[in-house]
Amino acid sequence: MSDTYTLYNPTVMDHFMNPRNMGDLKDADGVGEVGAAACGDIMKISLKIREGRIEDARFKTFGCGSAIASSSMATELIKGRTIEEALNFTNQEVVQALGGLPPVKIHCSVLAEEALKAALEDYVKRHPEHAQVAAGAEPVTA
Amino acid sequence: MEQQKVYYFDNNATTRVAPEVVDAMVPFLREYWGNPSSAYAFGAQVHGHVEQAREKVATLIGADPREILFTSCGTESNNSALQSALVTTGKRHVVTTKVEHSANINFGEHLEKQGFEVTYLPVESDGSLDLHVLEQSIRPDTAIVSVMYANNETGVIFPIEEVAAICRSKGVLSHTDAVQVPGKLPIQVKSLGVDFLSLSAHKLHAPKGIGMLYVKRRTRYSPYVIGGHQERGRRGGTESVANIVAFGRAAELAMATLEDENTRVRALRDRLESWILTHIPNTIRNGAREPRLPNTANIAFDFVEAEAVLMLLDQVGICASSGSACTTGSLDPSHVLSAMGVVPMRARGSVRFSLGIYNTSEDVDYLLQHLPRIIQRLRDISPLNPEHPDNDRYDIEAARRKHEEEMASVKE
């Protein structure tokens, strides 16, 4: 029946049906949970960060199919990136990687960006020694 | 189009066209395609079939055939009734409810833009209407009170007889949108006492594109669609003959299936609903248990979002719906559930199952076999759970505050 659901393209459907990186990280270094003003979706992203680089990411999402797909794709995209790179992450990357979202669902990708930023802020606040990284300086090795 | 087996639980959205109805209408597409207004026999002969259909539809609601006006759909019927009341009375105020079909809410907003005033009555948490509030809302300049007969999302039935009585005592016209009712409850317009009543044929196993407005004898009527002499000058436009014939046949069938709908279908609905409420934790019925349409169950699945549920149901061929959110392209939760005070998180996780005469016990088994797994799967993905501080009071601001507090506590 999936081909009859015309709202979403096959990539979005794949990430909705088989979400990547779903769950929580037990000893996460940064956790962000945000709600979308537009529709009430809620998205939580947990990060494992080692030596200034995102080693692992997990998500949990209360929301529609494209919200789940957006968070799945966002966690896939950010794994392996440095904090600095991740701070420059935008929702457009999610939209592009998903092969597009219906206009009314673009806010889902924005929420994924916000959840990631919230998780990074959390990390930086817990690890003040990395504040400079967030400000754009070279990574400081501990 | 490839068609695999569909398990259809969305009969309040539309219904399968009955094979008997197709059989009745096809001759008017293949052979008798003349215009009923034509002078020659080939056209004029279909006129009699239109009038027979009118009699059948009149019988369905206990009306006189002259009180039946064929329209293109339920929306047109509703618009026509309100428009007529405003024109014939010259008054400026309309009373309706917050839980009408969105088409009617939108028409109310359209009237407001034109300078009319509309009062949208609130409902109780079980979806019922406070008649005292309704009575108080009627003003000297009120033209008409329009209250739906049964709610399409929850199935909650409104006391139309009492609404009409209040309107009569105040000298105000009354209208009811009864599109969800035929075949499910007996309708007798004379005892209801309303001035206008709307029906839509595709809700009772006839095709889309045909509706009806009942206009009580001696109630003044001003046409909405202006054109030819059709419908005794009350609705212009060449009659949609095949659809009208279909509507007539469907009206006959609806009277015949009334009992099945109220016994067998009701039992299927009750089994479906009570199984879900007992076997899937954190579920709750939206709306009063009774009085309610025998086919409708609206259930909130906490911590999950309805569109995701519907997509996973769709994957296994099950059709259901939600009045809410993203499915319709709008991002707001159902206006009906919101008016009932259902919290946003719960409203967004509400799914409507509406059954019909073609549903079988096996259909319900199939649904109940798949549903728990689907809900569990989405609950595993969801950050919300019974322990979540925001759960049933979840709102965006709470999430923001929580986030800020967490940030602050980490800082300390």
Side-chain angles (χ1 to χ4, degrees), chain B residues 66-310:
Chain B
R66 283 170 298 177
E67 297 173 310
I68 303 299
L69 192 57
F70 287 117
T71 65
S72 65
C73 58
T75 300
E76 185 195 322
S77 301
N78 292 335
N79 290 0
S80 302
L82 265 55
Q83 171 84 12
S84 173
L86 291 167
V87 169
T88 60
T89 63
K91 294 180 175 177
R92 311 289 299 167
H93 180 233
V94 172
V95 175
T96 187
T97 76
K98 286 185 174 174
V99 297
E100 298 299 308
H101 191 281
S102 56
N104 301 341
I105 303 273
N106 291 342
F107 189 67
E109 287 168 1
H110 167 76
L111 290 175
E112 287 178 289
K113 278 184 202 137
Q114 293 191 318
F116 296 98
E117 282 184 69
V118 182
T119 299
Y120 302 92
L121 298 172
V123 293
E124 308 290 314
S125 60
D126 65 355
S128 65
L129 201 58
D130 184 339
L131 291 178
H132 188 65
V133 175
L134 181 142
E135 188 164 3
Q136 303 235 303
S137 71
I138 297 174
R139 318 188 307 211
D141 65 337
T142 302
I144 188 166
V145 174
S146 177
V147 175
M148 68 196 330
Y149 201 149
N151 186 269
N152 51 306
E153 289 188 31
T154 60
V156 168
I157 296 167
F158 293 102
I160 298 306
E161 209 170 319
E162 292 167 57
V163 171
I166 291 169
C167 291
R168 275 199 308 281
S169 74
K170 298 252 182 185
V172 174
L173 293 167
S174 59
H175 164 255
T176 187
D177 172 2
V179 299
Q180 295 298 343
V181 178
K184 297 167 195 162
L185 299 176
I187 305 177
Q188 285 298 331
V189 282
K190 294 210 165 51
S191 54
L192 280 179
V194 291
D195 292 286
F196 303 98
L197 179 144
S198 304
L199 292 186
S200 172
H202 77 94
K203 309 285 192 191
L204 57 142
H205 305 286
K208 292 143 195 74
I210 184 75
M212 178 229 79
L213 178 65
Y214 157 83
V215 184
K216 190 163 98 185
R217 261 186 90 192
R218 288 195 276 274
T219 293
R220 289 168 66 205
Y221 186 74
S222 171
Y224 187 57
V225 177
I226 313 288
H229 61 92
Q230 295 90 351
E231 301 295 304
R232 301 194 300 137
R234 294 176 148 201
R235 201 273 185 182
T238 301
E239 296 88 341
S240 183
V241 176
N243 278 337
I244 288 172
V245 170
F247 195 175
R249 185 74 183 104
E252 287 181 318
L253 294 172
M255 286 183 282
T257 54
L258 191 62
E259 197 192 327
D260 183 52
E261 189 90 47
N262 277 282
T263 53
R264 193 186 61 86
V265 176
R266 179 187 292 273
L268 290 179
R269 189 277 311 266
D270 288 345
R271 176 159 79 88
L272 182 154
E273 181 172 278
S274 61
W275 194 94
I276 293 172
L277 295 177
T278 11
H279 289 84
I280 303 183
N282 300 300
T283 52
I284 189 165
R285 173 184 51 245
N286 290 313
R289 185 179 184 141
E290 293 294 339
R292 186 167 54 139
L293 293 176
N295 76 319
T296 308
N298 190 312
I299 297 170
F301 298 89
D302 280 356
F303 321 127
V304 301
E305 199 274 339
E307 191 219 58
V309 178
L310 299 181

Side-chain angles (χ1 to χ4, degrees), chain B residues 312-325:
Chain B
L312 291 179
L313 286 171
D314 186 36
Q315 294 292 317
V316 289
I318 297 170
C319 307
S321 76
S322 76
S324 82

Side-chain angles (χ1 to χ4, degrees), chain A residues 1 5 8 13 16-17 22 33 35-36 38-42 60-65 104-105 107 118 122 126, chain B residues 4 303-305 307-308 311-312 314-315 326 329 331 348 377 380-384 388 394 396 403 407 410:
Chain A
M1 300 290 291
Y5 207 92
Y8 297 128
M13 281 305 289
F16 168 63
M17 294 301 296
M22 194 276 289
E33 185 175 298
C39 68
D41 282 354
I42 179 167
K60 280 206 153 187
T61 292
F62 167 81
C64 62
V104 73
K105 303 287 190 180
H107 71 275
D122 181 37
R126 287 201 226 174
Chain B
Q4 74 185 71
F303 321 127
V304 301
E305 199 274 339
E307 191 219 58
M311 284 171 69
L312 291 179
D314 186 36
Q315 294 292 317
C326 302
L331 299 171
R348 293 211 44 218
R377 177 168 166 183
D380 289 343
I381 297 177
S382 175
L384 299 177
H388 196 286
Y394 179 73
I396 313 307
H403 177 62
M407 293 296 107
V410 169

